[in-house]
Amino acid sequence: MIVMIQELNELRRRLQSLYRADEKSCVRYLVEKVELSTDSKNRIYNIAKQIIERIKHNKLDIIDSFLQQYSLSSDEGVALMCLAESLLRIPDDHTVDELIKDKIVNQEWSKHLGSSASLFVNASTWSLVIGSSILKTEEKDSKFYHIISKLLKNLGEPIIRKAVKHAVLMLGKHFIIGESIEQVLQYVTPDQNLYSFDVLGETSEEYFNTCMYSVKTIGEARNSSDDCFKSNGISIILSALHPRYEFSQFDHIADEVLGKILALCREAKKYNISLCIGAEEAEKLEMSLILFEKLRLDESLSQWNGLGLTVQSYQKRALHILDFIEDVAVRSKHKVMVRLIKGAQWNSEIKRAQELGMINYPVFTRKSYTDVSYLACAQKLLSKASHFYPCFATHNAYTFATIMEIADKNHPGFEFQRLYGMCKDMYDYVMSELATNISCRICAPVGTHGNLLPYLIKRLFDDRSFISHDVDLLIEDPLEKSKSFNYEPHPNVPLPQDIFGSDRKNALGIDMSDLVTVTQFFDEMKNFANKKWQIGPIIDGQLLLDNAKFYKAVNPADLRNVVGEISDATDEQVLNALSIARSAFSQWQDISVKERAKFLEKAADLLEENIKELIYVLIIESGKTIPNAISDIRKTINFLRYYAVIAKNKLNDVEKLPGMVGENSFIEFGGRGVFLCISSLPSAVVDFIKQIAAALATGNVVLVKPSKYVPIIVYEVVKILHEAGIPHDVLHFIPGNVDTIYDKVEGIVFTGSLQTVRIINERLIGSGIPVIAETDGLNAMVVDSSALMEQVTTDVLSSAFYSRGQNCSVLFIQNDIAEKQIKMICDAVEGLRIGNPIELSTDIGPVVNKISMDMLVQYTKKMSEDAHSTLLSKLPVNMDGYFFPPYIYEIEKISQLKQEVFGPVLHIIRFDKAQLHEVINDINNTKCNAFSLHSYIQSRVNMISKRIFTNHIYINRSIDSKVEADGINYLKYFFQEKTITTIFDT
């Protein structure tokens, strides 16, 4: 539970209430707040147009000409930017060549010939046309041309590689001021522009040391001004000071982060230079505000006004963040530097909210709304001159003109800011002609091109407002534009709950980055703490506990905590359930598909209403962590809705077929009869309930046999299905041994191990009874040298270790990056938390029972004794309960793995690039269940996706075996078709 940030004053409560507020009401409020007179709007328009007209005829330098020709709105521009982003971080020439070929060959470069006034751009385009031709391999070429092409290819690839790398370095030099702070300060002269430097570091310690050194170096080189706003400064990213800078970890890391940033601030105060805290994802804002408040109120930083904070206007909370900062400024009796930006992580904010099923977005969905928010914030900043030193970071002429219009002519001081390498012409003009008494600070990244270019390319993708050629678009009034939209959100960005279209809703999530929500969540968890379950068979709607023999279910995280008592069904009860279900089949068949679908949709709604209790059950019964438990229940809800929609749209009761004159042919879809749903895996709750839903949707009656170790969650879901309208005689809950009816049902659907499904199949040889099995086998991930290693690390941790792992068993890493990638993974594992899953900070909970624990102990002991495996990492653990730490082994071949391992154990295999096809063959021979590929070479992605034989393929993301991927083809296993042909008199 978050302790440090529990207390919420009125300001922070109001701030948090706007986190994911209704967009329309937010925008309406901001437009009314900012409303300008007609005269003001006319002056703003004229100034903005004057700026655009003045600079658009300026001769562009080489890079600006190139970016204008290959804009990010074109496929060719995007291809070049992707190439630039990846090229310098790839260590081997072979992969570099493949990347260049991948991005260059299939683009239409010839359409850009002669389109630019720049000789360099036209020469570059000719080079791209020729390079594309050389790199193509067309089998249809004539023999002579093929020989020439091959010769050019062999000679040309190294030349092309060198030329492309040189071009990327030119791009880097345009946007990166220098590779070290000493180099930068030699370039910067005190009588020119002011700078704010962003530095990089590969680890948190390296970043802190680099920042500390940079502050000292900048301070020693500063001019003699007593005003900290009139000297160069530095910008700091808090998340770079600690690898676990996350809301869930804040209690554990707050003191360490505060200590580091306080030390940097004290050093900045010593030299009287500014230090601005940079903006990050919306879910980190609350942490940043708390740390900012503690810093500003710290006595050791008194008499220093250089502490700054960045505010992103695309956040709905932006204006009210300023209220919070103002309150801190008043209490601390200091002016605060506020850097106002529009925001640079829009795509990831939208995707994150959709992925988690949030009620709304933390950001606006239209650019004009962000612009309005920016202007509202600017008004606030300019109206409180005694509390704020405003820094307006913008590349937009209209925004600049508006700020100049609303600023008091006697304002004591504010500044504009721009990114190094961008909008130089605009600011050279406006600073010399329109705002001669106002300074413009340049925000300049410092570091190696390989490390910084990915960041800068992302900034280019996110900041396209000044790349437009259309003057009218550049000087549109965001207030009028917002009104023209009637303040409505963008129609192409549906709310997170509506991303699946009008047919079904995305399951609503729980925002565990919002303190108000988190507090309410844990209050509700306390309500369930004393609840004890007593469960047994539910047959024909009756819970049968008479003369029952119970066994205890204990919390795997706390073996003293008895969760409840379970009674298994007797053989007689199992046969009785089978008889009742079979009698109900014909009546259930008579209920239309649409009615059955409504039952499933109602069940999904009820699960959503009861999500907190179901999450609690998953945590205390199976050891799921809070994020995993939320995710599992949401996926269960989504599967119920998914199959309901498929049933309604695809499983019509009768479908007319084309036929001869005088005949009518129809096909009817119906259930097979009684389906026995069995789960032997304690971790596969989502897959199991998905199968129950599929059987019901297709018109079958169902007997549910849960895993012995997690029956309570299934018991609760069965009760909800009954409450939703599934008839009692159609769905029965029979925990315990059901071997006696394997051959008495019309179908078996099974979730569990390969070993168990083989036993079932052997029992049913010759019976004709279908067995639909989903087994957890080995899952593999392949990482080539074009992969983004930070993303790989995150996805490996998520797949192999979070909760208790098992979504990634084997990780293949290309040799060229293996050493660095393995170190990053091992270092990240050291920061994981093993503990009680009821705590938000826990990453790895317990395994579900002693059998699983003992199996893992025996397995890791055997692996540690294997001469062909090397233990790379093991996290120590000393706790009561079934806690098992993460293990990482390096092995030589996937064939060394002889069994499924259900726990946080990862096996790493290195491979040479030439062995990639062999790796794919090995994975196919092992019959892996799921596969992930991390590669930014699209041709390689296409090739491997076709060759791999797994059920689920994930590209540049973590492995998740419960993605909604089973559609109508899966449901066909659950129903039978009946063809009816009638002859009528013509």
Side-chain angles (χ1 to χ4, degrees):
M1 177 59 188
I2 303 293
V3 175
M4 186 176 180
I5 55 177
Q6 233 173 350
E7 295 299 322
L8 282 176
N9 59 24
E10 187 55 38
L11 265 177
R12 280 180 54 203
R13 283 191 180 279
R14 190 174 9 148
L15 185 63
Q16 285 307 97
S17 70
L18 295 167
Y19 188 0
R20 302 183 190 276
D22 174 69
E23 184 163 12
K24 186 170 184 175
S25 58
C26 276
V27 177
R28 188 191 300 275
Y29 170 79
L30 291 170
V31 168
E32 291 171 356
K33 192 91 176 166
V34 157
E35 194 57 72
L36 300 168
S37 68
T38 302
D39 287 345
S40 288
K41 288 182 178 181
N42 288 336
R43 285 192 294 270
I44 291 167
Y45 176 86
N46 290 332
I47 291 173
K49 188 171 183 180
Q50 176 185 339
I51 294 168
I52 298 297
E53 293 289 352
R54 177 65 182 266
I55 66 174
K56 77 174 184 178
H57 298 298
N58 288 3
K59 184 177 180 180
L60 299 175
D61 64 24
I62 287 173
I63 298 296
D64 283 335
S65 297
F66 196 81
L67 289 174
Q68 186 180 77
Q69 179 61 38
Y70 293 105
S71 72
L72 296 177
S73 60
S74 71
D75 291 340
E76 293 76 26
V78 171
L80 287 173
M81 291 301 103
C82 291
L83 182 61
E85 185 275 328
S86 306
L87 191 73
L88 296 183
R89 59 179 168 78
I90 298 175
D92 62 299
D93 288 344
H94 287 297
T95 304
V96 166
D97 289 344
E98 282 198 42
L99 180 75
I100 293 170
K101 182 177 177 180
D102 190 72
K103 302 305 177 191
I104 289 180
V105 165
N106 295 317
Q107 303 301 329
E108 296 183 42
W109 305 108
S110 57
K111 71 182 182 183
H112 295 272
L113 286 172
S115 299
S116 173
S118 166
L119 179 63
F120 171 84
V121 173
N122 286 320
S124 299
T125 301
W126 270 112
S127 299
L128 289 165
V129 171
I130 294 167
S132 174
S133 299
I134 291 173
L135 294 174
K136 282 181 180 175
T137 52
E138 297 286 346
E139 293 298 327
K140 63 185 179 182
D141 293 335
S142 68
K143 183 176 180 182
F144 174 77
Y145 185 79
H146 183 70
I147 292 170
I148 295 298
S149 293
K150 187 175 181 181
L151 178 64
L152 282 172
K153 183 177 185 293
N154 292 336
L155 293 172
E157 279 193 356
I159 297 170
I160 292 170
R161 184 195 318 132
K162 189 173 181 179
V164 172
K165 280 191 174 181
H166 182 70
V168 169
L169 287 171
M170 284 181 63
L171 181 69
K173 286 178 182 178
H174 187 78
F175 295 106
I176 299 169
I177 192 169
E179 295 199 350
S180 69
I181 196 69
E182 296 94 340
Q183 180 186 352
V184 166
L185 291 173
Q186 288 176 2
Y187 169 80
V188 172
T189 54
D191 58 338
Q192 292 180 339
N193 292 305
L194 297 174
Y195 285 82
S196 176
F197 300 109
D198 298 319
V199 298
L200 289 182
E202 289 198 4
T203 67
S204 57
E205 282 306 310
E206 183 184 325
Y207 180 75
F208 172 74
N209 292 333
T210 303
C211 288
M212 184 63 79
Y213 178 75
S214 298
V215 169
K216 181 180 178 182
T217 306
I218 295 165
E220 289 176 347
R222 75 183 298 273
N223 54 32
S224 57
S225 171
D226 292 331
D227 189 347
C228 65
F229 303 133
K230 300 302 179 185
S231 62
N232 297 326
I234 191 169
S235 179
I236 303 295
I237 300 297
L238 292 178
S239 62
L241 293 171
H242 199 289
R244 298 304 306 274
Y245 188 70
E246 304 161 22
F247 186 89
S248 64
Q249 305 299 318
F250 195 57
D251 278 354
H252 300 285
I253 58 97
D255 289 341
E256 183 180 343
V257 176
L258 182 61
K260 287 181 176 181
I261 189 67
L262 186 57
L264 291 171
C265 287
R266 286 170 179 163
E267 191 73 3
K269 178 190 174 183
K270 175 181 171 182
Y271 295 102
N272 198 29
I273 65 171
S274 61
L275 183 151
C276 187
I277 296 173
E280 304 196 51
E281 297 92 334
E283 60 190 27
K284 294 177 180 174
L285 175 65
E286 194 166 3
M287 296 186 293
S288 299
L289 292 179
I290 288 159
L291 292 174
F292 166 77
E293 180 181 25
K294 287 185 173 293
L295 289 170
R296 190 59 283 172
L297 297 176
D298 191 285
E299 285 297 323
S300 68
L301 300 181
S302 62
Q303 308 304 312
W304 174 61
N305 286 324
L307 179 62
L309 188 67
T310 304
V311 175
Q312 301 174 104
S313 72
Y314 72 180
Q315 282 204 39
K316 295 171 182 176
R317 293 177 285 184
L319 186 59
H320 292 276
I321 293 171
L322 298 183
D323 292 338
F324 175 84
I325 298 172
E326 181 184 10
D327 177 67
V328 173
V330 170
R331 286 188 285 127
S332 68
K333 299 177 182 176
H334 285 82
K335 182 178 284 193
V336 175
M337 170 193 284
V338 176
R339 181 172 187 239
L340 184 63
I341 66 174
K342 293 186 180 179
Q345 294 167 315
W346 187 86
N347 285 337
S348 60
E349 294 286 7
I350 295 295
K351 181 181 177 182
R352 181 76 172 155
Q354 292 176 347
E355 182 180 44
L356 297 177
M358 297 292 95
I359 194 167
N360 212 312
Y361 298 109
V363 296
F364 296 110
T365 60
R366 293 187 190 267
K367 182 184 178 298
S368 60
Y369 298 166
T370 294
D371 290 341
V372 169
S373 175
Y374 192 99
L375 299 181
C377 291
Q379 274 188 340
K380 168 91 174 175
L381 290 169
L382 290 168
S383 68
K384 303 283 185 175
S386 59
H387 301 145
F388 299 121
Y389 177 74
C391 306
F392 299 112
T394 181
H395 296 160
N396 185 283
Y398 195 93
T399 302
F400 171 88
T402 306
I403 289 167
M404 294 302 297
E405 172 67 22
I406 62 180
D408 191 308
K409 306 307 177 192
N410 298 316
H411 194 283
F414 63 91
E415 66 183 48
F416 289 99
Q417 294 186 352
R418 69 173 177 88
L419 284 174
Y420 180 78
M422 295 189 72
C423 285
K424 183 179 184 300
D425 281 357
M426 182 180 113
Y427 275 103
D428 283 350
Y429 170 64
V430 298
M431 294 293 105
S432 62
E433 301 288 338
L434 303 178
T436 55
N437 61 334
I438 302 171
S439 60
C440 174
R441 187 181 301 268
I442 300 172
C443 299
V446 180
T448 63
H449 291 201
N451 286 334
L452 272 172
L453 264 179
Y455 158 78
L456 291 166
I457 297 304
K458 184 179 185 305
R459 293 300 299 262
L460 279 175
F461 271 104
D462 286 319
D463 193 350
R464 308 184 194 190
S465 62
F466 202 71
I467 303 175
S468 173
H469 299 265
D470 191 329
V471 173
D472 290 332
L473 289 177
L474 290 171
I475 54 177
E476 282 182 322
D477 178 2
L479 295 168
E480 293 305 316
K481 197 164 185 63
S482 299
K483 290 177 186 176
S484 73
F485 295 135
N486 196 30
Y487 316 115
E488 295 286 350
H490 199 293
N492 294 335
V493 188
L495 288 175
Q497 279 197 284
D498 298 328
I499 59 173
F500 297 137
S502 58
D503 281 349
R504 65 183 177 111
K505 285 192 173 297
N506 185 16
L508 187 63
I510 301 174
D511 191 350
M512 301 307 286
S513 68
D514 176 15
L515 183 57
V516 175
T517 303
V518 169
T519 303
Q520 292 171 350
F521 177 85
F522 280 103
D523 286 343
E524 291 190 49
M525 290 294 106
K526 291 174 187 175
N527 295 335
F528 309 126
N530 296 320
K531 184 170 181 177
K532 304 296 178 187
W533 278 261
Q534 190 176 64
I535 72 169
I538 302 177
I539 298 174
D540 204 13
Q542 298 299 310
L543 176 61
L544 305 178
L545 298 177
D546 293 342
N547 303 315
K549 294 180 181 179
F550 292 99
Y551 64 90
K552 292 180 180 179
V554 298
N555 183 340
D558 181 1
L559 304 184
R560 299 163 300 177
N561 179 12
V562 177
V563 175
E565 296 179 323
I566 295 100
S567 170
D568 287 342
T570 65
D571 289 347
E572 183 182 354
Q573 289 170 336
V574 170
L575 289 170
N576 186 36
L578 174 62
S579 174
I580 295 170
R582 179 157 283 124
S583 297
F585 175 61
S586 60
Q587 191 170 355
W588 180 237
Q589 281 282 90
D590 290 339
I591 295 176
S592 70
V593 171
K594 290 186 178 180
E595 285 300 309
R596 293 199 298 265
K598 284 181 182 178
F599 294 147
L600 296 183
E601 289 170 335
K602 177 63 176 175
D605 294 342
L606 291 172
L607 283 171
E608 207 164 59
E609 289 174 20
N610 294 278
I611 190 170
K612 305 280 179 59
E613 183 173 5
L614 296 170
I615 287 167
Y616 180 77
V617 173
L618 273 179
I619 291 169
I620 63 164
E621 184 182 33
S622 66
K624 294 274 187 180
T625 59
I626 291 172
N628 280 88
I630 293 171
S631 177
D632 275 8
I633 300 302
R634 288 190 59 240
K635 286 170 183 171
T636 301
I637 293 166
N638 279 336
F639 268 120
L640 287 167
R641 289 175 175 157
Y642 181 54
Y643 285 138
V645 169
I646 288 179
K648 286 189 293 186
N649 295 340
K650 304 288 186 180
L651 299 182
N652 299 315
D653 294 317
V654 179
E655 183 178 313
K656 192 174 186 303
L657 299 174
M660 295 182 292
V661 173
E663 286 187 358
N664 276 338
S665 296
F666 302 90
I667 186 168
E668 289 186 352
F669 302 97
R672 292 177 179 272
V674 181
F675 254 88
L676 175 60
C677 294
I678 305 172
S679 175
S680 67
L681 279 183
S683 60
V685 172
V686 177
D687 289 326
F688 187 43
I689 296 170
K690 173 192 75 175
Q691 292 172 340
I692 296 169
L696 290 170
T698 48
N700 297 287
V701 290
V702 178
L703 305 179
V704 177
K705 189 273 181 213
S707 164
K708 179 179 180 179
Y709 305 106
V710 289
I712 298 175
I713 184 65
V714 180
Y715 166 84
E716 290 293 340
V717 174
V718 167
K719 288 201 306 179
I720 285 174
L721 285 164
H722 282 156
E723 186 182 347
I726 302 293
H728 292 165
D729 55 358
V730 166
L731 176 66
H732 307 268
F733 177 75
I734 47 171
N737 191 345
V738 295
D739 292 7
T740 55
I741 61 168
Y742 282 175
D743 56 355
K744 295 179 175 62
V745 296
E746 281 67 49
I748 295 177
V749 59
F750 172 81
T751 304
S753 66
L754 280 169
Q755 183 180 359
T756 307
V757 79
R758 283 171 185 152
I759 293 170
I760 295 173
N761 275 323
E762 286 173 7
R763 290 276 303 273
L764 296 176
I765 290 175
S767 69
I769 297 172
V771 178
I772 306 165
E774 291 201 24
T775 58
D776 266 8
L778 296 174
N779 295 334
M781 181 182 289
V782 172
V783 176
D784 74 12
S785 62
S786 73
L788 195 60
M789 286 194 276
E790 293 81 0
Q791 185 63 47
V792 170
T793 303
T794 299
D795 290 346
V796 168
L797 261 61
S798 172
S799 302
F801 302 119
Y802 282 172
S803 192
R804 51 175 170 267
Q806 79 193 39
N807 274 343
C808 181
S809 320
V810 190
L811 173 64
F812 294 86
I813 308 176
Q814 188 173 324
N815 252 326
D816 301 276
I817 61 166
E819 207 64 44
K820 184 176 181 181
Q821 182 70 77
I822 290 170
K823 185 179 186 306
M824 289 175 70
I825 293 168
C826 290
D827 288 348
V829 168
E830 293 294 322
L832 296 180
R833 283 187 187 282
I834 303 174
N836 194 327
I838 200 68
E839 296 175 4
L840 188 57
S841 61
T842 296
D843 300 304
I844 302 174
V847 294
V848 76
N849 55 39
K850 190 175 187 303
I851 296 173
S852 299
M853 181 83 167
D854 291 344
M855 184 275 294
L856 287 166
V857 170
Q858 291 170 12
Y859 178 81
T860 50
K861 181 181 178 183
K862 180 182 174 183
M863 286 296 295
S864 298
E865 294 169 352
D866 187 343
H868 298 286
S869 70
T870 305
L871 179 62
L872 300 178
S873 176
K874 173 194 172 184
L875 201 61
V877 58
N878 292 299
M879 304 178 72
D880 292 329
Y882 300 127
F883 291 98
F884 191 82
Y887 276 73
I888 301 177
Y889 289 99
E890 184 169 338
I891 62 175
E892 296 174 2
K893 289 277 187 180
I894 195 172
S895 57
Q896 290 174 238
L897 306 180
K898 306 297 184 186
Q899 66 184 88
E900 301 163 276
V901 182
F902 300 114
V905 181
L906 176 67
H907 309 85
I908 294 177
I909 300 172
R910 302 179 191 227
F911 71 94
D912 290 327
K913 179 190 172 293
Q915 297 175 302
L916 182 58
H917 290 282
E918 183 183 338
V919 166
I920 300 306
N921 289 337
D922 286 347
I923 292 171
N924 285 337
N925 291 336
T926 312
K927 295 181 171 57
C928 286
N929 183 52
F931 172 78
S932 174
L933 172 64
H934 275 264
S935 174
Y936 282 84
I937 300 174
Q938 191 59 47
S939 57
R940 184 175 293 174
V941 169
N942 295 341
M943 179 273 292
I944 293 176
S945 297
K946 289 177 181 176
R947 286 199 55 202
I948 205 77
F949 296 155
T950 56
N951 295 330
H952 304 287
I953 299 174
Y954 306 91
I955 307 299
N956 296 323
R957 59 153 290 176
S958 61
I959 296 175
D960 182 350
S961 61
K962 302 172 189 70
V963 169
E964 294 162 52
D966 300 318
I968 183 63
N969 290 328
Y970 176 71
L971 291 185
K972 285 178 180 177
Y973 292 111
F974 291 86
F975 63 73
Q976 59 184 358
E977 299 175 357
K978 187 184 297 182
T979 305
I980 303 169
T981 301
T982 63
I983 299 175
F984 60 91
D985 192 356
T986 57

